[in-house]
Amino acid sequence: MSWITRLMGSIRKNKLEDQLDNELQFHLDMRTREFIAAGMTPDEARRHASRLFGNQMLLKENTREMDTIGWIETLWQDLRYATRTFLRAPVFSTVAIVSLALGIGANTAIFSLIDAVLFESLPVRDPRHLVLVWEKPSAPLSYPLYKQIRDRNRVFSGVIAFHAFSDWNVGTNGETELMTGQLVSGNYFSVLGINPAAGRLLSSEDDRVPGGHPVAVISYGFWKRKFALDPSAIGKGIDIFGHPFTIVGVTRPEFFGTQSGKLPEVIIPLMMQGSVIPRGSFLEGTEVKWLYVMGRLTPGMSEEQALASLNVLFHQFVMAEAGPRIAAEQQRELSRKSLELASGSQGLNDLRKQFSFPLRILMVVVGMVLLIACANLANLLLARASTRQKEIAVRLAIGAGRWRLVRQLLTESLLLAFAGGALGVSFAYWAGALLLRFLAVELNVTPNLQVLGFSAAVCFISGIVFGLAPALRATRADLTSALKQGSGSFGPKRLDRLLVTTQVALSLLLLLGATLLVRSLQNLKHLDAGFNRDNVLLVSIDPTFTGYEGQRAAEFYKELLNKMEAIPSVRSATVASDVPPGGLSWFQDITIPGATAKPERVSVNHVGTRFFETFGISILSGRDFDLRDNETAPKVIAINETLARHYFRRDNPVGRPTGLGTIVAVVKDSKFESLRAKVRPMVYRPFLQEPISWGDGKMLAIRTTGAPLQIAPVVRRAIREIDSKVPVFGITSMAEQVNDSLRQERLFAALTSLFGVLGLLLVCIGLYGIVGYAVARRVNEIGLRMALGAKPANVLWLVMRESLWLVGAGLLIGIPAALASARWISALLFGLTPLDPLSLALSILILLLFSAIAGYLPARRASRVDPMVALRYE
Amino acid sequence: MPKTNPDVLQGTLDLLVLKTLVRGPMHGYGIAVHIQQVSDEVLRVEEGSLYPALHRIEQTGLISSEWGTSDNNRRAKYYRLTAAGRKQLAKEEENWDRLTRAVAKVLRFA
């Protein structure tokens, strides 16, 4: 094929050139001989012959074009030239490549997160045909309904069901560890199209008899950690909450299950529900709604059709359940219930909801940083281009096409862009992984085509963006002025000015955002949350998992608290069902005679004695719970300020009776839900006055005299002494827990500050470079001025005026822009409005300070110029 | 050659080159001289068009080249017609015939 020959021609260019020269020389010589034979002198003949050939250069080029692939050659030429030029200016190249690396790397990192959270589908077969079947208002369905859908549907090729992830006590080789586990239907793996890494996965055979299939599938990570990838692990036993299970298979490393961001380590069949949820069988009645149901649509089936068919099935089911004798009203109500379908391609994706907004903001932020970096590069290239003005003018004069030169200059900027991009991308993967670890999210963020394609596109566009303007400017056909040693106005020309002004404006935006978020974080950290978070140890524990209930459970807790208080460095110990800022779990109805018209729902916290003391919640009036308030005593409650204010206004509530008990105390408000949320009315009840049932785990809280985590091993031992089978779900300190709840805010504040500082740095470098360069070009004039009597201070002011002008113009544009766009992040702020004057003033001040320094340094150099040296400089 | 439509021009030049090579391998200079002489100096191939054309036609495989020695013992690049070239030549000659006959008919129609 001719293109192969031509490719070879491009590669073996020199040989080709020689041959062509010879060929043409021969022809030339023959013509010359002709003319000599016709009577001309040898010189005349030669001249005449040459003239016949016309423009030899052009002829050679045209001919060569036939033998080679033209554009590859020019590209290769340009690249080599560009590389040589950059190697010769190492400082410039390093600064350029590093700034680009930071800008492009940051963009890539954020984009890869966005891609994983927002776009990636489940790594299962054909996720687009998966749908989640759910019933308003929340997703889970009951087991009998699932069976009905599974067996009688006409729209799915397979229907699976699974329970949400939960924490299980798993024993391997004698060691017990808390792991994430999941209950799934037998056909789970086959419908999702997942293959094992070793052994086999669950099948429908494992889903027949309740309690009859003690088999488990473990994750690849589990296999690696506990069995070192030993194939004989298949068939070994593990125990879950003390119940024996046999390992039958291992999932592959890339398997993530149906909830993105989490990874189940142990998977067992639905039928084994009794082993991990000891509260009776969920496999019978329809009251317990515990299963997420997903179906794979048959090919060609649309969601609407499927939904219609499923709802028919659903109504039959509901009617059958209700029984033959139901009132018409009930019937009507039942007929209004219906199923819904949602896309299952991303599984149960809470991450999307949680992170999509912050991620989008981050994307804008890194985009701005990249723009600033590009502006810097554009300025740098403009400056360099004007030093090469003579060279370019000469080339244009001897006939180089303007576009050819522009292409060459663009190749240079693209080379910079891709070099910076390559560096940036490798740094991005490292940074992205770090980010994810910090967020405690497990996502499959490995190099994938979309992200790499995105980076390449960013490199390319940046290269063009910052390269085009300088390239066009440099090749303007204003040859005569360029060929003379020219000097422009003092300070940069219009384009540079515009760029710097824009950079300053963008930088202000970034700084304002960062300042606002950092201050929000400070506000959150120093918030009076209504409780004392220091020196409190939290232990999450649930004896009902091993069968404790009612009176036995109460005794367990009593013994536990006694043991705790016996430990030397313990000031006080208590239990609670809710701990701030972990969220609220219990709700009950309360009636207050004289204050409520009908029962109202309030959150209830079941706590032990000395609860308020342990948590440092001030009792505003009344008394703390004590040993008097046990199961036989009259029921008492304590209420928080908000509840008191709501129902009692200014009256003293202590002593008033309510449906849940007599009020014995009013306590200060505490942030139970989260540090940000408003405090809701809350009722505290002695835990002994509510029978303890399954799933009613509590948090043991211990106030210590010293560092709380130090007594953790002692506490564990004490619990084991009472009953070694009771699962301990986690031990942490209150301070850690509070800090944890602020994780996202902390990350955000850190990231935006990082990017803000980065942007500021880039602006300062840019400013320094531009002003410095202008000074260098105007050294003559400075010398002249000084020789004529200007003092160093005057010169200093002359130069600084320029930079201050630029920054001022930038601020003029930037301030309104910043105020307008700060509104977008108001959802992330706490305790501040986006128009917070202090933050704005702070950002402006920081910007002015640093840009003043950046402009001062070259100005100082200018003022130190020796007039004699300067005048001689040409 | 007069400056007319470059495509027609190019096609015609190709045809002349191929035809010239029917008689045997020839270098560029020889081809130019041959065309010049046989057409009684009416057709003069410009060097500027000849060499690009030769190299181009070579890429299409209709002619091939090799270095040899000329009559006056100089090294020169000789071009020869390939089998594919011969077939193409026959086709081109036929096309040219049809074209000129058609043009003549139109011109004769008064």
Side-chain angles (χ1 to χ4, degrees):
Chain A
M1 277 171 238
S2 85
W3 66 264
I4 295 187
T5 338
R6 291 175 70 182
L7 187 61
M8 296 306 292
S10 287
I11 297 174
R12 289 151 65 230
K13 223 163 39 91
N14 291 332
K15 186 153 171 236
L16 218 66
E17 252 185 76
D18 290 339
Q19 286 191 341
L20 185 59
D21 278 343
N22 287 343
E23 194 178 357
L24 294 176
Q25 191 61 40
F26 174 76
H27 193 125
L28 183 67
D29 291 342
M30 298 298 278
R31 281 282 182 216
T32 313
R33 270 204 335 177
E34 232 185 84
F35 290 136
I36 295 179
M40 292 189 201
T41 66
D43 282 332
E44 265 180 7
R46 195 156 279 278
R47 260 196 319 238
H48 211 83
S50 292
R51 236 179 310 168
L52 283 180
F53 272 72
N55 184 348
Q56 290 213 16
M57 278 291 130
L58 202 57
L59 167 58
K60 282 198 196 161
E61 256 192 46
N62 284 345
T63 316
R64 257 211 304 275
E65 235 171 86
M66 301 297 160
D67 296 330
T68 59
I69 299 185
W71 58 266
I72 288 188
E73 263 188 59
T74 44
L75 187 62
W76 185 240
Q77 231 177 10
D78 288 345
L79 279 175
R80 277 177 47 195
Y81 186 70
T83 321
R84 271 205 315 263
T85 338
F86 290 138
L87 285 176
R88 256 183 290 157
V91 174
F92 162 81
S93 314
T94 322
V95 169
I97 292 182
V98 169
S99 356
L100 279 171
L102 288 171
I104 298 179
N107 273 277
T108 307
I110 301 296
F111 183 77
S112 63
L113 280 182
I114 289 182
D115 180 61
V117 171
L118 298 181
F119 299 135
E120 276 294 292
S121 319
L122 289 179
V124 300
R125 186 183 51 160
D126 225 354
R128 276 165 309 131
H129 292 139
L130 290 175
V131 288
L132 182 72
V133 182
W134 58 290
E135 184 191 345
K136 283 216 206 50
S138 70
L141 308 179
S142 66
Y143 181 74
L145 178 55
Y146 160 64
K147 251 198 353 198
Q148 179 91 329
I149 297 179
R150 184 190 67 193
D151 299 333
R152 310 254 298 266
N153 84 85
R154 281 182 283 188
V155 302
F156 292 132
S157 61
V159 188
I160 59 174
F162 51 94
H163 187 42
F165 293 172
S166 33
D167 294 320
W168 298 344
N169 254 2
V170 178
T172 345
N173 304 330
E175 296 173 337
T176 315
E177 195 183 311
L178 206 62
M179 290 200 203
T180 316
Q182 189 178 35
L183 287 157
V184 305
S185 57
N187 57 1
Y188 180 80
F189 292 106
S190 60
V191 170
L192 289 179
I194 295 174
N195 294 319
R200 70 165 179 93
L201 297 173
L202 299 181
S203 71
S204 315
E205 290 303 310
D206 301 310
D207 218 6
R208 297 199 181 286
V209 178
H213 309 275
V215 292
V217 169
I218 63 175
S219 74
Y220 196 82
F222 184 165
W223 191 32
K224 194 165 175 185
R225 230 181 39 236
K226 291 283 188 178
F227 295 102
L229 302 183
D230 181 5
S232 72
I234 317 281
K236 283 229 177 91
I238 54 172
D239 65 88
I240 308 180
F241 288 121
H243 303 278
F245 279 80
T246 318
I247 300 177
V248 293
V250 184
T251 54
R252 307 185 100 105
E254 57 277 6
F255 172 68
F256 267 82
T258 34
Q259 240 171 299
S260 60
K262 300 216 196 104
L263 176 57
E265 308 214 65
V266 186
I267 301 180
I268 62 179
L270 281 184
M271 288 292 151
M272 302 309 293
Q273 169 255 321
S275 312
V276 294
I277 309 178
R279 187 69 182 112
S281 169
F282 286 1
L283 299 168
E284 266 122 63
T286 53
E287 322 81 45
V288 187
K289 299 191 156 105
W290 61 300
L291 290 173
Y292 291 99
V293 176
M294 281 221 274
R296 182 182 286 286
L297 292 168
T298 53
M301 175 70 57
S302 76
E303 270 189 40
E304 295 81 41
Q305 291 174 291
L307 188 57
S309 166
L310 282 174
N311 269 325
V312 168
L313 198 63
F314 181 56
H315 286 132
Q316 288 175 346
F317 177 81
V318 160
M319 288 309 185
E321 280 298 310
R325 284 178 315 216
I326 43 168
E329 155 119 22
Q330 256 192 308
Q331 214 177 38
R332 259 201 304 272
E333 237 193 80
L334 288 179
S335 66
R336 254 182 272 141
K337 292 170 124 207
S338 71
L339 293 176
E340 310 264 340
L341 290 182
S343 161
S345 65
Q346 293 197 307
L348 302 177
N349 196 345
D350 332 281
L351 284 182
R352 191 189 228 176
K353 284 179 281 185
Q354 210 186 348
F355 287 120
S356 93
F357 180 64
L359 277 178
R360 274 202 289 252
I361 300 276
L362 277 181
M363 199 75 219
V364 172
V365 166
V366 292
M368 288 201 278
V369 171
L370 185 62
L371 275 177
I372 296 180
C374 284
N376 253 6
L377 254 99
N379 271 338
L380 278 172
L381 286 177
L382 276 171
R384 252 168 63 90
S386 48
T387 57
R388 293 164 73 186
Q389 205 58 53
K390 260 174 109 172
E391 168 209 336
I392 293 177
V394 169
R395 286 167 130 203
L396 282 172
I398 62 171
R402 185 187 184 196
W403 284 110
R404 177 76 185 78
L405 278 180
V406 169
R407 243 178 38 219
Q408 188 212 316
L409 292 172
L410 273 182
T411 313
E412 284 179 17
S413 20
L414 282 173
L415 182 65
L416 274 180
F418 277 96
L423 188 62
V425 167
S426 37
F427 145 81
Y429 275 116
W430 170 80
L434 217 71
L435 227 86
L436 281 180
R437 258 222 312 264
F438 182 78
L439 282 175
V441 162
E442 284 155 16
L443 272 184
N444 195 11
V445 181
T446 50
N448 68 23
L449 279 168
Q450 284 117 300
V451 176
L452 287 176
F454 171 81
S455 314
V458 168
C459 289
F460 189 76
I461 294 176
S462 315
I464 304 276
V465 160
F466 68 72
L468 194 61
L472 288 176
R473 256 271 293 271
T475 52
R476 253 192 337 219
D478 193 2
L479 298 177
T480 40
S481 73
L483 283 171
K484 292 192 289 202
Q485 173 66 285
S487 56
S489 66
F490 197 17
K493 305 193 198 77
R494 208 171 339 153
L495 185 57
D496 309 19
R497 282 198 173 129
L498 192 64
L499 283 171
V500 174
T501 314
T502 322
Q503 280 182 310
V504 170
L506 284 175
S507 181
L508 183 68
L509 277 166
L510 288 178
L511 283 174
L512 183 63
T515 321
L516 285 173
L517 285 169
V518 167
R519 290 192 66 212
S520 294
L521 182 64
Q522 292 302 99
N523 284 351
L524 279 170
K525 275 195 179 156
H526 297 142
L527 184 63
D528 176 16
F531 60 92
N532 186 348
R533 68 191 81 166
D534 300 317
N535 295 337
V536 176
L537 186 72
L538 297 173
V539 183
S540 174
I541 185 172
D542 195 348
T544 66
F545 258 74
T546 43
Y548 285 86
E549 252 193 287
Q551 188 57 26
R552 274 191 69 216
E555 291 302 325
F556 173 84
Y557 282 119
K558 278 196 222 167
E559 200 188 329
L560 184 64
L561 287 172
N562 281 337
K563 266 192 129 73
M564 292 298 117
E565 303 215 318
I567 301 176
S569 45
V570 166
R571 277 234 194 96
S572 65
T574 184
V575 290
S577 47
D578 292 324
V579 160
L584 302 166
S585 51
W586 269 89
F587 296 89
Q588 283 184 298
D589 289 331
I590 189 172
T591 45
I592 305 177
T596 61
K598 53 179 174 71
E600 311 233 326
R601 195 136 268 236
V602 287
S603 22
V604 177
N605 197 357
H606 297 264
V607 304
T609 59
R610 304 179 74 183
F611 170 79
F612 301 108
E613 183 189 337
T614 311
F615 277 82
I617 301 178
S618 353
I619 302 178
L620 299 175
S621 69
R623 64 163 178 87
D624 199 342
F625 294 142
D626 53 43
L627 296 165
R628 281 180 284 163
D629 313 302
N630 56 24
E631 43 280 32
T632 50
K635 299 231 186 292
V636 293
I637 64 172
I639 59 175
N640 69 356
E641 281 178 281
T642 309
L643 199 152
R645 247 196 329 258
H646 196 120
Y647 294 109
F648 295 100
R649 250 143 288 209
R650 291 175 201 268
D651 305 331
N652 184 7
V654 176
R656 296 277 293 269
T658 72
L660 291 174
T662 315
I663 300 177
V664 295
V666 178
V667 300
K668 190 154 186 275
D669 279 342
S670 305
K671 298 245 180 201
F672 271 86
E673 268 185 285
S674 78
L675 288 180
R676 282 175 177 263
K678 246 174 53 145
V679 178
R680 295 210 258 175
M682 188 156 199
V683 167
Y684 300 86
R685 298 184 53 196
F687 79 99
L688 291 172
Q689 292 193 338
E690 177 79 32
I692 301 174
S693 51
W694 175 79
D696 191 359
K698 303 227 184 297
M699 198 71 99
L700 175 65
I702 305 172
R703 176 167 286 277
T704 58
T705 52
L709 288 167
Q710 278 181 354
I711 65 164
V714 181
V715 171
R716 261 198 218 273
R717 217 186 358 213
I719 298 176
R720 265 207 308 271
E721 275 168 26
I722 304 181
D723 186 343
S724 63
K725 292 224 279 278
V726 170
V728 172
F729 286 121
I731 301 191
T732 171
S733 73
M734 174 80 93
E736 239 182 74
Q737 176 135 315
V738 171
N739 225 15
D740 236 32
S741 73
L742 292 177
R743 195 194 301 238
Q744 197 185 342
E745 280 84 356
R746 273 160 53 213
L747 181 66
F748 240 69
L751 279 180
T752 47
S753 309
L754 176 67
F755 293 133
V757 166
L758 205 59
L760 184 62
L761 207 65
L762 287 170
V763 169
C764 289
I765 292 178
L767 203 59
Y768 176 82
I770 288 300
V771 176
Y773 175 71
V775 162
R777 267 176 35 223
R778 294 281 296 218
V779 165
N780 278 41
E781 178 184 329
I782 298 173
L784 200 61
R785 284 174 187 260
M786 293 186 90
L788 290 177
K791 294 204 263 300
N794 295 2
V795 175
L796 189 78
W797 174 238
L798 199 63
V799 178
M800 283 228 54
R801 209 174 47 183
E802 278 294 326
S803 23
L804 285 176
W805 237 133
L806 287 171
V807 175
L811 284 177
L812 215 65
I813 306 176
I815 294 178
L819 289 175
S821 46
R823 232 174 328 135
W824 289 338
I825 60 170
S826 51
L828 298 171
L829 299 178
F830 182 81
L832 302 163
T833 67
L835 304 175
D836 183 50
L838 182 56
S839 309
L840 184 63
L842 213 61
S843 324
I844 295 178
L845 214 64
I846 295 177
L847 192 58
L848 275 175
L849 184 65
F850 279 88
S851 27
I853 296 178
Y856 172 73
L857 293 171
R860 202 171 66 143
R861 261 211 326 261
S863 67
R864 295 245 186 102
V865 157
D866 179 352
M868 294 279 72
V869 173
L871 284 171
R872 269 185 259 128
Y873 182 85
E874 185 53 42
Chain B
M1 296 221 176
K3 288 206 194 314
T4 51
N5 182 353
D7 283 337
V8 173
L9 191 68
Q10 197 183 70
T12 321
L13 179 57
D14 287 8
L15 177 57
L16 293 176
V17 164
L18 289 177
K19 186 66 183 184
T20 307
L21 291 178
V22 156
R23 300 155 29 92
M26 180 57 76
H27 47 66
Y29 174 69
I31 295 173
V33 164
H34 176 90
I35 294 175
Q36 200 176 319
Q37 287 178 344
V38 171
S39 68
D40 294 324
E41 307 288 327
V42 174
L43 302 174
R44 286 216 67 233
V45 187
E46 280 178 14
E47 281 74 355
S49 355
L50 176 64
Y51 282 98
L54 282 172
H55 283 239
R56 177 175 38 79
I57 303 173
E58 186 181 355
Q59 289 292 340
T60 60
L62 298 177
I63 61 179
S64 65
S65 68
E66 60 187 6
W67 283 87
T69 331
S70 70
D71 318 328
N72 54 348
N73 280 327
R74 297 268 325 262
R75 281 204 12 117
K77 198 171 185 190
Y78 281 80
Y79 293 90
R80 77 162 73 233
L81 205 56
T82 62
R86 256 174 236 284
K87 272 196 282 226
Q88 186 68 13
L89 175 61
K91 244 195 335 198
E92 292 291 335
E93 274 187 296
E94 206 186 298
N95 283 343
W96 178 259
D97 248 357
R98 258 187 314 156
L99 180 65
T100 45
R101 261 206 286 270
V103 171
K105 273 193 244 180
V106 175
L107 290 179
R108 258 183 275 131
F109 197 96

